[in-house]
Amino acid sequence: MKKIAFILSIGLILTSCGEDTTVSTSIEDLTLTKSSYSDLKNWQQDDINMAIKAFKKSCQKISENKNTYIDTKAAIKISTSEYKEICRKLKNVRPTKYKDFIEENFTPYLVTYKGQSEGKFTSYYEAELQASYHKSDKYKYPVYGRPFDMIEFNLQDFDKSLPNKRFVGRIKGNKFIPYYTRSEIYEKPLNAPIIIWGDNEVDIYVMQIQGSALAHMDDGSYIRIGYADNNGREFKGIGSILLAEKLIKPGQASMGKIKKWLKENPEKAIAPMNKNERYVFHRFVNSDGPIGAQGVSLTAGRSLAVDRTFIPLGALLWLETNGPDKEDINKLVVAQDIGGAIKGAVRGDYFWGSGGDDILEKAGRMHAKGQYYILLPNKQR
């Protein structure tokens, strides 16, 4: 049978032969294979109402987007105009018709990389900490906002032929040098605003790993703290550091157990924490959840952090993986966040929700294999 190739507005090449349809992007080894809703595990049973709520938040952000694609940084190029049309139509759809609407407007494509559809899926949550607006003997650990002396630049700002790479640093004399490491920030006062004071370093450290937190203030109120920026240094997971130094045993590397060890061993904890040179700065946010990289509040169980080198923020994904207790997670989610450790075409970090150590333990134990399908607008097939 004759093969026919089409150049699509989403920047993919679609090759059709009989019933098999495969889409290959400009990123080598990344393939999208056309599927049907009958291929999606649990599609008929999934109550997608919360996913649509999350998707509507992304729609609002995309409605403000003047770019050709919903996420110009991602290899998979989805037309902004097509998404805006779908989002506009979605406003008039009754909840009982959400699933019909998705089927009428999107086609699922299985994401594979180097011929493998299976990847790694972990989970994160919104941390909590006890804090005050004022420094005291109890609340003496600073939560910094973005430093005044931190500078960033991108090579493409100077030459469009250069890689799209962000550099973060500071000026020393007449030189641009890397910004301070975590240990250097601990050792000296920082040229940065202190937005609140925490009662222990471990909770602040966990907040930095998670990206955000709900702060319970000493006046009885609570505020949401979100990600503002980072020092540009390499991220290294605290679990791998503690394991490498034999401070914890294999099987004790869940985030809940790690946090417990750090709090019980404060003198031993600082050195391994400092081996993760990445330091995260924060800001106040007014929202119903932590703010993800797309700039929208995350929805528990329906937001996914992805590697936007491949997956565009705002895209609908059908996720098939397992939770920390081996329970099935087969559901519609939205790509709304990124993470320093979330790298790969088939890689996701599932947002578990907000809460204390019980949620941390559950989220921290999730480490499963799985796959996902990206839902592309039908007009762009």
Side-chain angles (χ1 to χ4, degrees):
M1 185 177 294
K2 184 179 179 180
K3 288 188 177 181
I4 305 173
F6 303 91
I7 303 296
L8 300 182
S9 60
I10 47 174
L12 309 177
I13 300 176
L14 179 134
T15 305
S16 177
C17 181
E19 295 299 320
D20 295 327
T21 306
T22 300
V23 182
S24 298
T25 72
S26 57
I27 296 268
E28 187 179 0
D29 298 324
L30 174 64
T31 302
L32 307 182
T33 302
K34 185 179 179 182
S35 307
S36 67
Y37 286 93
S38 62
D39 296 321
L40 311 186
K41 296 178 183 178
N42 200 49
W43 169 251
Q44 293 301 329
Q45 290 72 41
D46 185 31
D47 181 356
I48 68 171
N49 284 17
M50 290 304 292
I52 296 299
K53 179 182 177 182
F55 182 54
K56 285 183 175 180
K57 294 177 183 179
S58 290
C59 279
Q60 181 59 40
K61 200 70 179 179
I62 289 168
S63 71
E64 304 165 2
N65 190 348
K66 292 182 168 53
N67 295 316
T68 303
Y69 307 116
I70 66 169
D71 188 347
T72 58
K73 294 184 179 181
I76 300 174
K77 304 297 185 186
I78 300 179
S79 164
T80 298
S81 62
E82 295 294 342
Y83 244 49
K84 284 182 178 180
E85 181 182 349
I86 290 172
C87 290
R88 178 183 55 78
K89 292 190 295 184
L90 178 59
K91 293 178 181 179
N92 300 317
V93 178
R94 299 193 306 273
T96 56
K97 296 294 183 181
Y98 281 158
K99 200 160 288 185
D100 292 337
F101 178 82
I102 295 297
E103 291 181 3
E104 290 166 4
N105 287 276
F106 293 93
T107 298
Y109 286 79
L110 179 64
V111 181
T112 62
Y113 189 70
K114 295 185 176 179
Q116 297 294 320
S117 65
E118 191 174 78
K120 183 171 77 171
F121 292 88
T122 50
S123 180
Y124 67 118
Y125 85 121
E126 183 181 35
E128 291 185 347
L129 71 156
Q130 304 296 318
S132 174
Y133 291 111
H134 308 289
K135 186 179 181 180
S136 66
D137 289 342
K138 180 178 181 180
Y139 301 101
K140 57 185 178 181
Y141 302 102
V143 174
Y144 286 112
R146 192 183 191 282
F148 300 118
D149 60 345
M150 194 171 79
I151 299 170
E152 68 171 89
F153 80 93
N154 193 306
L155 292 174
Q156 287 195 347
D157 292 339
F158 299 88
D159 186 339
K160 295 298 182 185
S161 67
L162 294 175
N164 182 16
K165 185 171 176 60
R166 175 181 183 259
F167 290 88
V168 176
R170 60 188 176 91
I171 299 298
K172 184 177 181 181
N174 61 355
K175 279 189 163 186
F176 180 75
I177 62 173
Y179 203 71
Y180 299 111
T181 64
R182 176 179 294 277
S183 61
E184 289 171 334
I185 291 171
Y186 277 148
E187 289 169 3
K188 62 177 67 177
L190 200 59
N191 185 11
I194 296 174
I195 60 174
I196 56 172
W197 297 87
D199 69 346
N200 73 86
E201 291 178 301
V202 174
D203 284 343
I204 294 173
Y205 188 84
V206 172
M207 175 179 68
Q208 291 189 15
I209 294 173
Q210 302 300 321
S212 63
L214 198 62
H216 295 260
M217 308 303 291
D218 60 343
D219 62 4
S221 64
Y222 69 88
I223 55 173
R224 183 159 269 117
I225 308 298
Y227 174 91
D229 211 331
N230 69 75
N231 62 346
R233 297 283 185 161
E234 181 182 1
F235 173 84
K236 190 170 184 180
I238 184 64
S240 63
I241 295 169
L242 295 177
L243 285 170
E245 297 190 4
K246 298 182 179 179
L247 293 171
I248 61 173
K249 297 177 181 179
Q252 296 182 329
S254 71
M255 200 60 221
K257 291 179 180 178
I258 288 171
K259 181 179 176 181
K260 185 174 184 290
W261 186 92
L262 294 173
K263 284 194 169 184
E264 290 177 349
N265 298 273
E267 293 183 0
K268 295 180 181 178
I270 295 299
M273 287 197 298
N274 281 343
K275 289 197 173 181
N276 170 27
E277 295 190 350
R278 172 74 58 88
Y279 195 96
V280 172
F281 307 105
H282 291 88
R283 61 188 176 91
F284 296 126
V285 296
N286 182 20
S287 68
D288 60 354
I291 303 298
Q294 196 191 11
V296 303
S297 59
L298 304 179
T299 302
R302 296 292 176 170
S303 296
L304 192 74
V306 297
D307 184 348
R308 69 191 298 195
T309 304
F310 305 95
I311 305 296
L313 293 178
L316 282 171
L317 299 166
W318 180 260
L319 174 65
E320 296 180 354
T321 186
N322 299 107
D325 297 312
K326 308 302 180 184
E327 69 274 27
D328 289 339
I329 296 178
N330 302 317
K331 56 170 57 177
L332 188 65
V333 297
V334 191
Q336 293 179 319
D337 204 3
I338 59 175
I342 312 306
K343 302 297 181 186
V346 187
R347 176 73 172 93
D349 210 20
Y350 178 80
F351 179 59
W352 204 265
S354 305
D357 289 349
D358 55 336
I359 296 294
L360 169 60
E361 176 60 24
K362 200 169 184 68
R365 287 191 293 110
M366 182 171 169
H367 193 285
K369 294 179 180 179
Q371 63 182 18
Y372 51 43
Y373 299 76
I374 185 167
L375 276 57
L376 299 179
N378 287 340
K379 287 190 177 181
Q380 299 187 164
R381 286 186 299 175

